[in-house]
Amino acid sequence: QVHVAESGGGSVQTGGSLRLSCLASGHAFNSYCMGWFRQGPGKEREWIAAIDSDDNFIYADSVKGRFTISQDNGKNSLSLRMNGLKPEDTGMYFCAARFAPCPNIRSMASSAFAFWGQGTQVTVSS
């Protein structure tokens, strides 16, 4: 049974920083892709960052240069460091996993990931 859980959300002012964490347990696959998604108020869920088992990472243009994804394989943990936060970054942030290589960036959709956490709220005030 694969279990994914996020933590670290909170409220900050514009320009502030937050670090989200994700723990994935119950798997022992050599090839995987872990991703971060978010869903703002009244918006569809969007992909923002992903990293694979070879430490290759990719970002959506909306967060490139501000967010950093990293992982600690020994602890099955994933992090998302968010700097320069803006009000439009507000939303529920989700960690997701798939036990296959990361999809092509144009195919980085929710449907490509099989396992999800419950989400953690990030609120950025102006």
Side-chain angles (χ1 to χ4, degrees):
Q1 181 76 19
V2 177
H3 182 67
V4 179
E6 310 91 342
S7 61
S11 298
V12 296
Q13 293 187 325
T14 297
S17 299
L18 282 173
R19 184 185 181 94
L20 306 184
S21 297
C22 172
L23 284 177
S25 60
H27 72 93
F29 295 90
N30 292 328
S31 178
Y32 60 83
C33 177
M34 300 289 293
W36 286 100
F37 288 74
R38 68 183 180 190
Q39 188 164 13
K43 298 180 181 179
E44 294 187 354
R45 190 171 299 188
E46 64 169 340
W47 165 77
I48 55 174
I51 191 167
D52 69 13
S53 45
D54 292 325
D55 271 343
N56 299 305
F57 50 86
I58 49 177
Y59 299 98
D61 287 344
S62 58
V63 304
K64 195 176 295 182
R66 298 188 298 126
F67 291 12
T68 303
I69 190 171
S70 61
Q71 65 183 338
D72 184 336
N73 292 341
K75 298 181 180 179
N76 287 335
S77 66
L78 182 72
S79 295
L80 184 69
R81 177 66 178 177
M82 306 185 293
N83 295 327
L85 284 163
K86 307 173 183 179
E88 52 263 44
D89 293 318
T90 293
M92 188 70 77
Y93 282 66
F94 299 90
C95 178
R98 61 182 260 143
F99 299 110
C102 285
N104 182 283
I105 192 170
R106 290 184 292 274
S107 301
M108 200 64 77
S110 299
S111 57
F113 291 78
F115 304 97
W116 291 82
Q118 294 298 307
T120 185
Q121 178 68 33
V122 171
T123 302
V124 185
S125 58
S126 58

